[in-house]
Amino acid sequence: MTSTADAPRSPGRPRSTRADEAIVDATLDLLAEGNSIEALTIEAIATRAGVGKATIYRRWPGKDALLLDALRTLKGPAPHCAGRSVRDDLVLLVGAVGQHADPRARKIMPCLVPEVNRSSAHRQAYEAIVEPRREALREVLRRAIDRGELRADIDIEVTMALLTAPMLTQRMLQWYAGDERMLPERIVDTVLDGLRVR
Amino acid sequence: MTSTADAPRSPGRPRSTRADEAIVDATLDLLAEGNSIEALTIEAIATRAGVGKATIYRRWPGKDALLLDALRTLKGPAPHCAGRSVRDDLVLLVGAVGQHADPRARKIMPCLVPEVNRSSAHRQAYEAIVEPRREALREVLRRAIDRGELRADIDIEVTMALLTAPMLTQRMLQWYAGDERMLPERIVDTVLDGLRVR
């Protein structure tokens, strides 16, 4: 018989409780309603979550740390790469770009852009969220270069932007008139093959 | 001797006056300060511009029409293509992506994204602003296909997103660690040549 009560308690942060979830949820609600990060206060979050400010400060040192946790929740877990072919791996990773577990993301994420440029704390929070996903993509490209499938002289960072940015703008603005489920393949194949007649 | 008083008056809209400029400016200021389109009122714009509401309604039928004019001002004129080589034309057009005449654009444009998805009027305003720029890019690609320089089977819309979206995210998030002035060339050359070893 397995009992969670018998499992060793992990040190550090207390486990997520219903109050923690309510606090993260209240933060995301306030952002989705159009409140800027600057306008957001611990007091407003506490009121919305139905908890005291002390409850928030027991778990998070301040607004920036709470915000980082809330935005991580919004993005959900990164996809796992099967490592079969460079094309399959790229299609999988491109398809996951901007795909958020939480519907509030579409309202919140674009408006965070100006904030990221205004404050280095917000820039660090943004990097902490996106960098693990970027690294997975970088690895797929590096492995394919090592195997001799992709040109060794490509600019990895430019290539990553070519693969991810069109999908990101699709999630934001729905520019693609065709079937969105086919878009990751179209993007990957066009970038792999290039435009020039040979 | 040339006298503007002797020139024939064009029918329709009155010429741009100082009041018109103040009204457009007030609209952009209020948006840049974080007010959503929904929250924006003709009354607030009139107050900020120091004019009566009637002055605004004499020139614009309503908020959406005023907004469209204000956002067009923000983007400035589209670049002119020399039509030399497909590479040169693409580098010019990619370099102009997201390059706004007005510094308020960086704050205003990302936050408009959710609005474009919520209302067909805002979607139409967005299309009216970006479509002339898109058409210039589409023309360059079509001409190069007709000349046999680019593959005839490329997806034009996907190709346009590959060329423009990385530059748009660069203007918003400055992801490129290198010299930004070189980025349009890097993007265009990578898309033209593709990634695969041949």
Side-chain angles (χ1 to χ4, degrees), chain B residues 22-154:
Chain B
I23 292 161
V24 162
D25 219 44
T27 308
L28 295 175
D29 276 348
L30 288 167
L31 287 173
E33 286 163 18
N35 295 285
S36 69
I37 292 181
E38 303 308 322
L40 210 66
T41 62
I42 293 289
E43 182 139 22
I45 296 167
T47 303
R48 173 65 72 103
V51 301
K53 289 204 287 181
T55 306
I56 297 182
Y57 283 117
R58 258 198 302 276
R59 186 159 171 91
W60 291 278
K63 194 172 82 171
D64 285 346
L66 168 52
L67 208 67
L68 178 55
D69 271 6
L71 294 176
R72 275 202 182 118
T73 306
L74 208 56
K75 277 204 82 73
H80 177 73
C81 258
R84 275 176 303 220
S85 77
V86 59
R87 181 183 181 275
D88 287 354
D89 282 353
L90 292 180
V91 168
L92 180 80
L93 291 174
V94 169
V97 168
Q99 201 157 47
H100 300 290
D102 193 306
R104 287 170 294 192
R106 191 168 280 185
K107 175 80 183 106
I108 294 174
M109 298 306 276
C111 281
L112 288 184
V113 166
E115 316 257 8
V116 164
N117 291 315
R118 248 204 311 259
S119 138
S120 67
H122 299 155
R123 164 69 66 169
Q124 280 165 29
Y126 168 79
E127 296 290 342
I129 293 168
V130 300
E131 190 51 32
R133 286 152 187 270
R134 275 214 211 110
E135 189 51 30
L137 182 53
R138 211 176 269 127
E139 269 307 301
V140 168
L141 292 171
R142 282 198 198 114
R143 276 201 305 266
I145 291 170
D146 290 345
R147 286 195 306 259
E149 288 179 60
L150 300 189
R151 294 194 285 123
D153 65 341
I154 60 171

Side-chain angles (χ1 to χ4, degrees), chain A residues 106-107 110-111 113-114 116-118 123 126 148-151 154-155 157-159 161-162 165-166 168-169 172-176 183 186-187 190-198, chain B residues 106-107 110-111 113-114 116-118 123 126 148-151 154-155 157-159 161-162 165-166 168-169 172-176 183 186-187 190-198:
Chain A
R106 193 169 277 184
K107 176 81 182 101
C111 282
V113 166
V116 164
N117 291 316
R118 248 204 312 258
R123 164 69 66 170
Y126 167 79
E149 290 179 57
L150 300 188
R151 293 195 286 122
I154 60 171
D155 183 321
E157 299 302 308
V158 168
T159 300
L162 288 176
L168 203 62
T169 55
M172 294 196 299
L173 288 161
Q174 282 87 53
W175 55 265
Y176 188 56
L183 187 55
R186 307 301 295 258
I187 291 170
T190 309
V191 175
L192 286 175
D193 294 335
L195 307 182
R196 286 198 201 277
V197 170
R198 275 152 225 287
Chain B
R106 191 168 280 185
K107 175 80 183 106
C111 281
V113 166
V116 164
N117 291 315
R118 248 204 311 259
R123 164 69 66 169
Y126 168 79
E149 288 179 60
L150 300 189
R151 294 194 285 123
I154 60 171
D155 183 321
E157 299 303 306
V158 168
T159 301
L162 287 176
L168 203 62
T169 55
M172 293 197 299
L173 287 162
Q174 282 87 54
W175 55 266
Y176 189 54
L183 187 55
R186 306 302 295 259
I187 290 170
T190 308
V191 175
L192 286 174
D193 294 337
L195 305 183
R196 285 199 202 276
V197 170
R198 278 155 221 284

